[in-house]
Amino acid sequence: MTYKGILDRYGHLLDLPEHTKKITLLEGNTPLIPMPRLTRDLGAEAIYIKYEGLNPTGSFKDRGMTAAVSEAIGRGAETVICASTGNTAASAAAYAGRAGLRAVVLIPEGKVAAGKLAGAIAYGAQVIQIEGSFDDALTMVVEITKTTPLALVNSINPYRIEGQKSGAFEICDTLGDAPDWHCLPVGNAGNITAYWAGYKQYAKIKGINLPKILGVQAAGSAPLVVGHPVENPETVATAIRIGKPARGEQALMAAEESGGRIIAQSDESILEAQRILASEGVWVEPASAAGLAGLKAEIEAGKFDPKGQKIAIVCTGHGMKDPGIIADSMPTPELIPAEMGALRELLGV
Ligand code: AN7
């Protein structure tokens, strides 16, 4: 059967209004990649990467955006607006373009990775930089959508969460059950909320088990770990540079209800996890490596016994979103004359 996107495949399980008019770029259906070397090195039963970088705009945001834009156009909206650390902006721009709607995106000045900004511009959004953080931008778009017909497509929008539940459905459909643990990065906390809702829904209708959730924030932007909003969040993982998560309470509840937890990881730990994943063939953007960074740290600290555990790690965005980080943190390629002698000498052959 031809794949037609997540509203076609899982729409009957999503709480979307009657007026929803399907806009899709065939998002979802991403691979759950087994990681044999990582599994062996960490001593687990099986570790899988849910590789969300393979969505149409290169991140998991497309799952929620197909739902949010489909609802917005169905009710007659003409413009969608969002605040974004980058991936939501690119996704909103693409789906709005697809639907023939105008997209406006507010981003924190200078803090959005090149691949995301380029995407948002390429898809035709009106991109506005603000002299402030993501949190400031979110406050502004929430405010403006209260009094204007602009449609808000941040994950405060409940249809974003409905669409993103499909990630949990896919993992369960692939494994035939939920994993024992589910690890993922946490920024504005929409995705952790959506996964937990999706798992709970599947547990009810399919009788599967529930996973424990390990949410991971960046140490410089970890409001859910320190227990209060962070005024000036900082991290190399710019996607999750968020100091006041809109769904923070729900994230904490998801972790607690599941028997899991939310922890923080340093930028060094996140970049190391990015290198480990890439070395086994899965290149993700820094924020996307936070799930593995957290899992690895918990195992090494003796707080997590991986023995016999099936673990799914969501890698939320593609490595190509943030090429700058590789240029900054890895050696530049060697330069030699275009001569065979120089090549032989360098390779030692
Ligand atoms: C790669 O694009 O908030 O906890 O504005 O891009 O659901 O916010 C991005 C978030 C993880 C965190 N990984 O997800 C935005 C934005 C990547 C991301 C997250 C984001 P949430």
Side-chain angles (χ1 to χ4, degrees):
M1 214 170 56
T2 319
Y3 183 72
K4 293 184 188 150
I6 64 150
L7 295 191
D8 180 71
R9 179 149 177 209
Y10 293 113
H12 61 290
L13 300 176
L14 310 182
D15 189 7
L16 298 174
E18 206 55 44
H19 63 243
T20 301
K21 184 174 162 240
K22 209 176 290 174
I23 301 294
T24 182
L25 288 163
L26 308 190
E27 60 294 313
N29 201 24
T30 56
L32 190 66
I33 307 177
M35 302 293 280
R37 194 193 308 156
L38 186 60
T39 298
R40 199 170 54 239
D41 289 351
L42 292 187
E45 165 90 18
I47 297 179
Y48 303 91
I49 298 299
K50 183 67 170 164
Y51 194 28
E52 291 290 279
L54 293 187
N55 275 295
T57 78
S59 87
F60 73 101
K61 303 285 184 184
D62 296 342
R63 293 181 185 278
M65 208 54 75
T66 181
V69 171
S70 295
E71 187 280 330
I73 193 170
R75 90 173 112 96
E78 291 172 358
T79 303
V80 299
I81 188 168
C82 66
S84 182
T85 58
N87 280 323
T88 301
S91 187
Y95 282 81
R98 184 78 177 181
L101 302 180
R102 172 176 172 223
V104 179
V105 306
L106 268 64
I107 60 171
E109 179 192 12
K111 297 290 183 182
V112 168
K116 304 175 190 180
L117 182 55
I121 295 168
Y123 294 124
Q126 181 175 359
V127 180
I128 302 169
Q129 299 196 69
I130 65 152
E131 294 169 349
S133 66
F134 165 84
D135 304 288
D136 297 324
L138 186 59
T139 303
M140 290 170 76
V141 298
V142 167
E143 198 57 37
I144 204 161
T145 52
K146 276 186 193 156
T147 52
T148 65
L150 303 183
L152 181 71
V153 293
N154 278 104
S155 60
I156 297 170
N157 179 325
Y159 309 120
R160 281 276 312 277
I161 302 299
E162 286 303 308
Q164 286 174 215
K165 290 192 308 194
S166 63
F169 301 157
E170 287 180 14
I171 290 176
C172 296
D173 284 342
T174 304
L175 296 178
D177 200 349
D180 298 305
W181 277 86
H182 176 99
C183 311
L184 81 173
V186 177
N188 211 24
N191 213 28
I192 188 172
T193 300
Y195 266 100
W196 184 235
Y199 280 125
K200 283 200 295 190
Q201 188 174 346
Y202 244 37
K204 216 180 245 170
I205 59 179
K206 304 240 173 186
I208 57 143
N209 292 304
L210 283 171
K212 295 185 177 67
I213 308 274
L214 180 68
V216 186
Q217 301 207 284
S221 316
L224 301 180
V225 179
V226 298
H228 56 77
V230 173
E231 199 58 47
N232 295 303
E234 264 317 331
T235 169
V236 70
T238 52
I240 51 173
R241 187 174 168 275
I242 295 172
K244 200 166 167 278
R247 292 186 183 268
E249 291 299 324
Q250 283 166 282
L252 291 167
M253 208 143 65
E256 190 186 312
E257 259 179 46
S258 75
R261 51 198 173 266
I262 296 180
I263 62 169
Q265 284 297 299
S266 68
D267 282 0
E268 297 76 62
S269 163
I270 288 171
L271 291 177
E272 190 202 349
Q274 184 191 30
R275 285 193 290 273
I276 292 170
L277 288 165
S279 76
E280 202 168 349
V282 180
W283 181 31
V284 305
E285 66 168 286
S288 298
L292 172 61
L295 174 69
K296 186 168 171 286
E298 291 284 283
I299 292 173
E300 284 168 1
K303 294 183 196 160
F304 183 112
D305 183 4
K307 221 168 140 225
Q309 299 292 292
K310 283 198 182 119
I311 305 164
I313 306 175
V314 184
C315 286
T316 41
H318 202 288
M320 284 188 274
K321 289 277 190 172
D322 193 356
I325 200 68
I326 300 301
D328 292 347
S329 65
M330 307 280 272
T332 39
E334 297 190 66
L335 179 67
I336 59 166
E339 289 165 7
M340 291 310 294
L343 180 61
R344 285 209 184 89
E345 190 184 337
L346 186 68
L347 299 180
V349 291

